[in-house]
Amino acid sequence: MQQTKYFIIDFDSTFTQVEALDVLAEIALKDNENQAKAIQEIKDITDQGMEGGMSFRESLKRRVKILQANKKHLPELVDRLSSLVSPSFKRNTEFIEKYKEQIFIVSNGFKDFIVPIVKKHGIKEEHVFANEFKYDNSENIVGFNEDNILSSNNGKPRQIENLKLNGEVFVLGDGYTDYEIKKAGLAHKFYAFTENVRREKILDEADHEAPSLDEFLFTQKLERAHSYPKNRIKALLLENIHEGAVNKLKQEGYQVEVHPAGMTEDELAEAIKDVSVLGIRSKTQVTEKVLKNAKRLLAVGAFCIGTNQIDLKAALHKGVAVFNAPFSNTRSVVELALAEIIMLMRNLPDKIMQMHQGKWNKSAIGSFEIRGKTLGIIGYGKIGSQLSVLAESVGMNVQYFDLEEKLALGNANPCPTLEHLLQSSDVISVHVDGREENKWMIGSKEFDLMKDGVVFINLSRGHIVDIEALRKNIERGKIHGASVDVFPEEPLSNDHPFESPLMGLRNIILTPHVGGSTLEAQENIADFVPSKIIEYINTGSTTNSVNFPNITLPTLSQAHRFIHIHRNEPGILADINNILAKHGINIGGQYLKTNDTIGYVITDIDKNYQEDVIKDLKLVRGTIRFRVLY
């Protein structure tokens, strides 16, 4: 017969994110000129007590003495602590409700503020064991009840012994006093809780590290507590992705590994084996070979606009959603394009270099205003259309060519053919995507069609332009000036050398793929892409995915969500619903969208169901991936 499980949970830095007496000190001493010194002293004493470097009773006495607190401070303390309940406890209320008869809060803190907080989350008041403050006639806190077991050294083991729990006891806490329960032989396992604070000395004594309550529940295999813990989701971010993205993923509870450069195909194929989230920029190629090695991959984030470096079809077949940042760096690219147009029309690259060489060449020869000149934009998408607006605002005449019919902004004019644009533009700026059909779009034939003295800008993709043909036309004077930010082959990192046939040519600007590299753009991307990935993992929403059918889903509430990705074949939705009907499951909401390759079905159901339904749904023909959200 299976034994009953009992769960002993600490309060400070476990149920809540902070040590309550530290917060009480901030409140009580806010008008004290020595506040900072006193608070730091309390924190130092707390750490010594938690790590076993000072007897608990001595630690408690010294902290209470420094506090200078009053009963009137407790309501504010309760309010602040209520907002600081650990995130993993907030999202696992179902566990607390189901096991409330077996959950005990055993703390060296104080009932005065613990009970009001934990009761709100379903913990029974009679299951809270903690110290109690002593007050004087003016309700100043002057000490604690020294007859309480928990005010003494080794108090927690003695308290557990008094409870006479008949079953397996599991302790979840962050301090030495929690470990003492296991040390005394009164607990089956001690889990060191590290969501809020990591004490290496305590980890050395623990049976298991629990970076969140999710991990604790996962290892316990409790009913409905087997969703994959967020701390087991590993994210790999390459190419110096902005620290904002790193922090956002860490705050979500993921493990985050950062690599400063791109990776070769073989390197990434090895590194990706246990990765759930991959973040890249433009240098790293996510190929079919890489994806075959990705055993746990859920999503790829392209921290840029383009996604041609990712095999989107192979990702789709693998059930991996891909997200990018289609708008986040648009302004940055457009500003650079406009600045470079002005610089090249004025022949500034040559003049700047001559000045550095000590040559004073004051002359208007080869320098022109951009006002009244015709700008031809190839590709009238997000960047091309915004460049159109800015260029017109400084007096340029704008025309554009796009394979798709696009609404012109301002006074811009669409060109009937690419040839027409090439023949009639003073400045040409390329802003097309990196699809294979666009390779070598601009070569010798296209350069021959351009006006003599044209200015040429490429801030799109390196393989769009034939670099050798561009070099020849610069050297023969056909092109007045050129700017290139992207190249057919680019170094994997800043530590690798750069080589190009364009190096050393006159009136040319070469930049290291920095069109979108402004702090503003990188901050926007670092917020946008992780948000979409987190939303996908948490809710199943695929809004803005570049390869999955796009579905925006409501927030999951009082239900479980089945996510089924399968080959797009007739009858699979019927098969799914027949399985649900066989198991007597009522559907609360169902969402389906398909593309040519896959079907994406999301089904919200009541929380009460047998686990066999999950096994059956994984066996549906054509299944690529199945997961459950709680």
Side-chain angles (χ1 to χ4, degrees):
M1 181 177 177
Q2 189 174 9
Q3 285 188 304
T4 302
K5 291 184 175 182
Y6 294 97
F7 308 102
I8 310 301
I9 300 173
D10 185 31
F11 181 77
D12 293 286
S13 295
T14 299
F15 195 91
T16 59
Q17 301 172 49
V18 293
E19 293 290 323
L21 292 188
D22 293 352
V23 179
L24 181 56
E26 292 174 9
I27 296 168
L29 299 169
K30 63 182 176 183
D31 296 323
N32 190 314
E33 62 180 10
N34 295 317
Q35 182 200 44
K37 181 180 178 182
I39 290 172
Q40 187 58 53
E41 189 174 352
I42 288 173
K43 289 181 178 179
D44 292 342
I45 294 169
T46 298
D47 287 340
Q48 289 181 59
M50 289 297 101
E51 294 178 358
M54 178 187 296
S55 72
F56 173 72
R57 176 160 287 198
E58 178 63 20
S59 163
L60 193 58
K61 281 182 177 179
R62 289 175 62 178
R63 283 182 286 165
V64 170
K65 185 177 180 180
I66 297 169
L67 273 174
Q68 301 178 32
N70 186 281
K71 196 172 186 177
K72 68 181 181 183
H73 296 130
L74 296 184
E76 182 179 348
L77 175 63
V78 169
D79 286 344
R80 288 179 60 175
L81 293 178
S82 295
S83 68
L84 291 170
V85 171
S86 296
S88 63
F89 277 85
K90 287 182 181 178
R91 62 177 174 258
N92 283 292
T93 54
E94 185 180 350
F95 158 71
I96 296 174
E97 174 61 28
K98 183 174 181 62
Y99 294 94
K100 61 186 175 184
E101 297 298 332
Q102 296 145 252
I103 295 174
F104 296 84
I105 298 292
V106 179
S107 171
N108 294 125
F110 292 84
K111 277 188 177 182
D112 309 59
F113 53 77
I114 294 176
V115 169
I117 294 166
V118 300
K119 277 179 66 178
K120 295 177 186 176
H121 293 269
I123 304 290
K124 299 176 72 172
E125 183 173 353
E126 57 268 32
H127 282 199
V128 178
F129 297 90
N131 285 298
E132 298 156 301
F133 285 128
K134 287 178 66 176
Y135 305 91
D136 64 15
N137 293 335
S138 300
E139 295 191 327
N140 294 310
I141 296 173
V142 293
F144 51 87
N145 179 3
E146 296 193 18
D147 293 332
N148 188 319
I149 292 174
L150 288 163
S151 73
S152 63
N153 299 331
N154 221 33
K156 285 189 177 182
R158 291 167 60 193
Q159 182 64 71
I160 300 302
E161 196 169 26
N162 286 351
L163 290 175
K164 301 186 185 308
L165 302 176
N166 185 20
E168 291 184 328
V169 175
F170 299 90
V171 179
L172 183 68
D174 66 284
Y176 188 80
T177 57
D178 304 302
Y179 162 65
E180 285 180 331
I181 302 171
K182 169 69 187 302
K183 184 180 179 183
L186 296 168
H188 182 66
K189 280 189 178 180
F190 165 55
Y191 287 75
F193 190 74
T194 57
E195 184 170 346
N196 306 308
V197 63
R198 186 181 182 87
R199 307 184 196 278
E200 296 299 335
K201 290 182 181 179
I202 308 306
L203 282 168
D204 291 342
E205 307 291 355
D207 297 294
H208 195 97
E209 179 180 356
S212 65
L213 183 59
D214 308 274
E215 173 72 13
F216 176 72
L217 301 182
F218 185 78
T219 60
Q220 288 294 312
K221 297 182 172 62
L222 299 175
E223 185 179 359
R224 298 289 178 262
H226 54 269
S227 60
Y228 202 63
K230 291 188 177 184
N231 61 274
R232 293 194 176 203
I233 293 177
K234 182 177 178 181
L236 174 62
L237 304 183
L238 308 181
E239 304 182 56
N240 276 327
I241 286 172
H242 191 276
E243 64 179 6
V246 178
N247 294 334
K248 197 173 187 76
L249 294 173
K250 283 184 176 179
Q251 287 166 7
E252 188 64 16
Y254 302 165
Q255 298 179 51
V256 182
E257 180 182 338
V258 176
H259 187 73
M263 286 188 177
T264 65
E265 184 181 53
D266 288 341
E267 288 172 339
L268 187 55
E270 180 63 29
I272 205 170
K273 289 179 180 178
D274 62 345
V275 168
S276 299
V277 175
L278 175 66
I280 62 168
R281 293 176 74 181
S282 57
K283 296 182 178 69
T284 303
Q285 302 295 310
V286 183
T287 63
E288 184 176 8
K289 175 182 175 180
V290 168
L291 290 163
K292 281 182 178 178
N293 273 25
K295 308 301 180 186
R296 297 181 179 177
L297 193 63
L298 295 172
V300 175
F303 286 72
C304 51
I305 292 177
T307 55
N308 62 291
Q309 70 276 41
I310 303 166
D311 189 329
L312 297 179
K313 186 175 180 180
L316 194 60
H317 283 293
K318 188 78 173 179
V320 175
V322 178
F323 299 88
N324 68 337
F327 306 102
S328 298
N329 65 2
T330 300
R331 177 71 185 197
S332 297
V333 177
V334 168
E335 286 187 4
L336 182 62
L338 189 60
E340 291 182 334
I341 290 170
I342 295 171
M343 290 184 71
L344 293 168
M345 290 291 285
R346 296 291 296 272
N347 198 25
L348 288 181
D350 286 354
K351 287 182 167 60
I352 292 168
M353 182 57 65
Q354 289 170 357
M355 290 292 286
H356 281 287
Q357 295 169 348
K359 297 178 183 177
W360 183 272
N361 185 13
K362 179 177 170 60
S363 170
I365 297 173
S367 294
F368 307 94
E369 291 184 352
I370 64 171
R371 180 177 53 178
K373 303 300 187 296
T374 298
L375 169 64
I377 300 173
I378 302 174
Y380 203 67
K382 300 173 185 69
I383 293 174
S385 58
Q386 287 299 305
L387 176 59
S388 167
V389 172
L390 262 66
E392 187 177 329
S393 72
V394 294
M396 298 192 81
N397 303 314
V398 180
Q399 59 184 10
Y400 66 90
F401 174 77
D402 199 291
L403 293 175
E404 299 177 14
E405 186 173 343
K406 297 288 180 69
L407 176 66
L409 300 181
N411 295 311
N413 293 307
C415 289
T417 63
L418 176 60
E419 288 75 13
H420 181 276
L421 181 143
L422 296 173
Q423 291 169 340
S424 57
S425 299
D426 301 305
V427 179
I428 295 172
S429 193
V430 184
H431 300 285
V432 301
D433 62 39
R435 72 186 73 177
E436 186 62 27
E437 303 92 277
N438 288 335
K439 187 172 184 179
W440 308 140
M441 172 188 282
I442 307 296
S444 296
K445 175 185 172 185
E446 287 72 28
F447 285 121
D448 285 343
L449 290 172
M450 295 179 191
K451 286 183 175 182
D452 289 342
V454 69
V455 165
F456 181 78
I457 310 284
N458 182 21
L459 295 172
S460 58
R461 288 290 178 267
H463 64 266
I464 303 298
V465 177
D466 183 336
I467 291 292
E468 283 294 338
L470 174 60
R471 179 184 63 80
K472 290 176 182 176
N473 281 277
I474 293 171
E475 288 177 337
R476 72 185 181 97
K478 173 81 173 181
I479 294 174
H480 174 70
S483 168
V484 181
D485 185 52
V486 288
F487 303 87
E489 294 182 5
E490 297 181 358
L492 283 173
S493 75
N494 292 343
D495 295 327
H496 291 76
F498 166 71
E499 295 180 0
S500 172
L502 302 177
M503 294 167 67
L505 297 179
R506 60 166 184 79
N507 201 28
I508 184 166
I509 300 171
L510 302 182
T511 49
H513 205 143
V514 293
S517 296
T518 62
L519 287 177
E520 293 90 344
Q522 294 309 305
E523 286 171 359
N524 290 338
I525 293 170
D527 180 67
F528 184 85
V529 176
S531 293
K532 292 302 173 185
I533 291 173
I534 290 168
E535 185 181 23
Y536 170 64
I537 291 175
N538 288 350
T539 72
S541 288
T542 53
T543 310
N544 291 110
S545 171
V546 296
N547 65 333
F548 264 46
N550 275 209
I551 298 181
T552 301
L553 296 168
T555 302
L556 188 63
S557 177
Q558 299 303 312
H560 285 186
R561 179 167 286 170
F562 289 169
I563 294 181
H564 196 279
I565 305 169
H566 55 267
R567 295 194 300 272
N568 187 10
E569 298 174 2
I572 291 184
L573 180 61
D575 292 346
I576 290 171
N577 288 339
N578 286 337
I579 289 172
L580 296 176
K582 184 183 78 172
H583 286 274
I585 293 174
N586 185 47
I587 297 174
Q590 192 168 57
Y591 315 87
L592 165 68
K593 207 159 187 182
T594 63
N595 59 23
D596 292 341
T597 306
I598 68 165
Y600 189 56
V601 178
I602 295 93
T603 308
D604 290 350
I605 66 164
D606 186 77
K607 293 180 179 181
N608 297 314
Y609 58 88
Q610 298 298 316
E611 296 301 310
D612 287 349
V613 68
I614 294 177
K615 296 177 183 177
D616 290 348
L617 288 170
K618 288 181 177 179
L619 294 175
V620 169
R621 62 188 172 87
T623 298
I624 296 172
R625 170 167 279 154
F626 176 84
R627 62 190 181 103
V628 183
L629 301 181
Y630 301 91

